[in-house]
């Protein structure tokens, strides 16, 4: 059907709000609106809600979070407002933060306290161990300054009095910050992670231990200006009241979105799966509803979208309803994932050369990237060749904390691998290279944990 035909079809139902997409943001939006007494409908194209936060069976008997894989940035206010614990969500903290092996017997392991982390760093650099508390205080002070603004709506433009009022409130909040906090934010938003970490630490492995946070999920080098902000981003959250801690949702990340869906439905929201939106209906340049692939039309006072702005405006909306400069701006927008994501079924736990025994390091974030230069080369490789020859890998083994994910005695591992080109150059397609790169990731782990590949019973890669 053409957009004109879709617009002319009769409305089938009316809601206060329609939400396109049932990812965690759409479900959160639905729950808040429903709690406010609104009639809300979530429309999810897939057979289950959750978006990137879903748990699925990827190999017979083995389940895991298919995309997102660890939790910290789920805001505690949202967890409390939606009462996610009452709807089955349980999050457990990692017993250790990150494990960085860098030689046959060399490793760093961040603990649950500054003292524990300083103790492991002191083995290779007493100076860096002494600097650690001040670094954490500096970073946490900057995070606190941003947390205070987290629920403040930024100005969308400067065309209304309300926008100017928001600018004024933001300026007041900035003036209230100490000079040290303002300077820290300036450094973190403008400098590279390598610059910031060089000011605090001397040892290359210590810089790598913390510098990984600047490039994980970020298709950049730690030497790029602006990469320091991601250091701040990764201490921004909390788990079970512990600031900056990362944890695991029992049942995988899908447990979060399933709890959100139950909370939204308990508040009165309606959720429909396998309901793909074909087009946003409009009247007089105003969105008034949506048409589904099935041909059904739904109308609402407001439309919210849990899809990217580019997809919303260029694929789902009628281009004639957009101003030319808006359409042109979004046509120029480019984004994609620089990450290769794997879920691996294991016959047993891996044994790392640097620390072969079992212990809390196997329940941490296992970082396979021993220096910032290693991370830089991985990025440059991907830019030139399509993927890193020696990739950066973060491995988690959530089954050490959650026995619901794998058969007894066996395990699942999440591999978050970098870097890869979001779209391969030279006319190549990922469908033709996925298995080749998956094998590269497994053999990369072998370098740090010999025999890892032999433990693999199956995997899923995307």
């Amino acid at each position: 059907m053409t957009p004109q035909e879709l617009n002319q079809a009769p409305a089938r139902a009316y809601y206060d709000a329609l939400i396109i997409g049932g990812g965690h943001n759409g479900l959160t939006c639905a729950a808040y609106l429903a709690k406010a007494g609104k009639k809300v409908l979530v429309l999810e194209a897939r057979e289950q809600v959750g978006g990137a936060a879903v748990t699925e069976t990827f190999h017979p008997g083995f389940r895991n979070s298919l995309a997102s894989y660890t939790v910290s940035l789920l805001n505690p206010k949202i967890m409390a407002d939606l009462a996610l614990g009452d709807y089955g969500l349980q999050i457990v903290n990692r017993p250790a933060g990150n494990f960085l092996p860098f030689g046959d017997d060399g490793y760093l392991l961040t603990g649950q306290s500054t003292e524990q982390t300083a103790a492991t760093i002191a083995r290779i650099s007493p100076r860096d161990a002494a600097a650690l508390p001040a670094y954490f205080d500096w970073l946490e002070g900057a995070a606190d300054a941003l947390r205070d603004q987290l629920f403040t709506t930024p100005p969308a433009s400067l065309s209304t009095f309300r926008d100017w009022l928001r600018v004024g409130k933001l300026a007041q909040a900035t003036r209230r910050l100490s000079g040290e906090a303002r300077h820290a934010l300036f450094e973190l938003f403008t400098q590279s992670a390598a610059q910031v970490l060089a000011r605090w630490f001397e040892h290359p492995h210590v810089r790598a231990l913390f510098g990984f946070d600047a490039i994980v999920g970020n298709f950049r080098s730690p030497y790029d200006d602006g990469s320091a902000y991601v250091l701040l981003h990764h201490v921004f959250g909390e788990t079970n009241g512990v600031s900056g801690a990362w944890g695991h949702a029992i049942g995988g990340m899908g447990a979060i979105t399933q709890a959100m869906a139950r909370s939204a439905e308990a508040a009165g929201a309606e959720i429909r799966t396998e309901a793909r939106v074909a087009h946003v209906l409009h009247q007089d340049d105003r969105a008034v509803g949506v048409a589904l692939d099935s041909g059904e039309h739904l109308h609402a006072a407001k439309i919210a979208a849990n899809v990217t702005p580019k997809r919303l405006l260029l694929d789902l909306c009628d281009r004639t309803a957009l101003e030319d400069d808006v359409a042109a701006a979004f046509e120029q927008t480019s984004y994609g994932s620089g990450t290769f994501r794997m879920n691996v079924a294991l016959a047993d736990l891996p044994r790392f050369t640097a620390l072969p025994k079992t212990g809390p390091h196997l329940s941490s974030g296992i970082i396979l990237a021993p220096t910032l230069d290693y991370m830089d080369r991985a990025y440059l490789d991907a830019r030139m060749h399509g993927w890193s020859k020696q990739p950066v890998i973060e491995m988690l083994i959530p089954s050490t904390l959650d026995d619901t994910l794998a058969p007894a005695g066996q395990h699942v591992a999440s591999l978050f691998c970098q870097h890869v080109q979001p779209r391969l150059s030279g006319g190549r397609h990922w469908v033709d290279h996925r298995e080749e790169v998956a094998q590269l990731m497994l053999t990369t782990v072998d370098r740090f944990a010999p025999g890892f590949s032999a433990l693999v019973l199956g995997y899923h890669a995307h």
Side-chain angles (χ1 to χ4, degrees):
M1 300 177 71
T2 66
Q4 290 75 21
E5 290 171 330
L6 289 170
N7 282 334
Q8 292 167 3
R12 291 284 301 277
Y14 188 88
Y15 292 85
D16 294 313
L18 294 172
I19 299 174
I20 304 171
H24 67 283
N25 288 308
L27 295 170
T28 299
C29 180
Y32 274 103
L33 289 174
K35 287 166 68 70
K38 303 299 182 183
K39 185 180 179 183
V40 181
L41 173 62
V42 178
L43 298 165
E44 168 57 42
R46 298 182 71 231
E47 70 282 357
Q48 66 172 324
V49 295
V54 293
T55 304
E56 293 183 5
T57 297
F58 67 94
H59 185 74
F62 294 82
R63 303 164 57 244
N64 203 16
S65 311
L66 285 197
S68 62
Y69 61 103
T70 186
V71 59
S72 176
L73 299 173
L74 176 57
N75 193 276
K77 173 176 169 53
I78 292 173
M79 292 183 65
D81 287 350
L82 272 56
L84 297 184
D86 294 345
Y87 295 101
L89 179 60
Q90 180 187 359
I91 297 174
V92 294
N93 287 24
R94 298 180 191 171
N98 287 329
F99 169 56
L100 181 93
F102 53 78
D104 286 349
D105 59 356
Y107 68 89
L108 293 172
L109 181 65
T110 61
Q112 291 186 318
S113 69
T114 301
E115 292 75 20
Q116 289 174 326
T117 302
T120 189
I121 290 175
R123 292 187 291 108
I124 63 171
S125 176
R127 177 187 177 278
D128 287 352
L132 187 67
Y135 171 71
F136 280 166
D137 287 345
W138 177 78
L139 203 58
E140 185 63 23
D144 282 342
L146 290 187
R147 287 190 190 107
D148 289 342
Q149 300 302 314
L150 193 59
F151 291 98
T152 300
T153 303
S157 66
L158 295 178
S159 58
T160 69
F161 175 76
R162 179 177 293 181
D163 289 331
W164 282 104
L165 187 61
R166 287 171 177 163
V167 170
K169 289 181 178 179
L170 186 61
Q172 286 181 339
T174 303
R175 282 197 297 270
R176 287 196 296 268
L177 296 177
S178 68
E180 183 179 0
R182 286 198 297 270
H183 188 261
L185 287 173
F186 178 80
E187 283 189 63
L188 288 162
F189 275 96
T190 60
Q191 294 186 3
S192 71
Q195 279 178 289
V196 168
L197 291 168
R199 186 163 70 83
W200 289 94
F201 304 114
E202 64 177 4
H203 201 289
H205 295 317
V206 177
R207 293 178 186 176
L209 179 67
F210 299 115
F212 170 76
D213 280 347
I215 60 99
V216 59
N218 187 20
F219 189 46
R220 302 184 74 178
S221 163
Y223 293 98
D224 285 349
D225 288 343
S227 60
Y229 163 72
V230 197
L231 295 172
L232 177 63
H233 184 78
H234 280 85
V235 300
F236 202 68
E238 65 177 70
T239 303
N240 295 325
V242 182
S243 178
W246 290 78
H248 172 75
I250 298 298
M253 297 296 279
I256 296 174
T257 47
Q258 291 303 309
M260 287 177 167
R262 287 191 284 269
S263 176
E265 288 177 324
E270 182 183 346
I271 298 173
R272 289 174 57 179
T273 56
E274 298 182 279
R276 183 179 297 276
V277 172
H279 190 76
V280 173
L281 304 175
H282 62 90
Q283 184 176 5
D284 298 328
D285 294 334
R286 180 177 176 273
V288 295
V290 301
L292 305 185
D293 271 358
S294 64
E296 181 179 4
H297 284 206
L298 302 162
H299 282 218
K302 300 289 182 182
I303 313 295
N306 186 188
V307 297
T308 66
K310 187 172 185 176
R311 172 153 172 70
L312 172 67
L313 294 176
L314 301 187
D315 296 340
L316 299 182
C317 290
D318 187 345
R319 297 283 186 102
T320 62
L322 301 177
E323 296 179 3
D324 290 342
D325 58 341
V326 172
F330 280 97
E331 283 170 348
Q332 295 300 315
T333 302
S334 177
Y335 53 84
S337 171
T339 298
F340 192 89
R341 178 76 172 84
M342 295 183 67
N343 285 296
V344 183
L346 298 174
D348 200 355
L349 289 170
R351 298 290 188 267
F352 287 86
T353 303
L355 189 58
K357 63 182 181 179
T358 59
H361 65 293
L362 295 180
S363 300
S364 72
I366 301 166
I367 301 169
L368 307 183
T371 65
L372 296 184
D373 285 346
Y374 180 104
M375 300 176 199
D376 182 50
R377 286 194 299 271
Y379 171 70
L380 295 175
D381 267 358
R383 287 287 302 271
M384 183 175 295
H385 303 296
W387 54 82
S388 305
K389 297 176 182 177
Q390 294 186 355
V392 175
I393 298 177
E394 181 184 26
M395 178 195 298
L396 268 67
I397 311 175
S399 51
T400 60
L401 301 173
D402 181 0
D403 61 10
T404 70
L405 299 177
Q410 298 179 322
H411 290 276
V412 296
S414 299
L415 303 186
F416 199 73
C417 312
Q418 299 172 206
H419 293 280
V420 298
Q421 287 181 8
R423 285 165 291 278
L424 287 175
S425 57
R428 297 172 296 166
H429 300 284
W430 270 112
V431 69
D432 300 320
H433 296 280
R434 182 181 290 112
E435 295 307 314
E436 174 188 355
V437 177
Q439 290 302 315
L440 169 65
M441 301 307 173
L442 298 180
T443 56
T444 298
V445 179
D446 281 335
R447 291 173 45 215
F448 297 87
F452 176 80
S453 292
L455 299 174
V456 174
L457 302 173
Y459 62 81
H460 170 261
H462 64 93

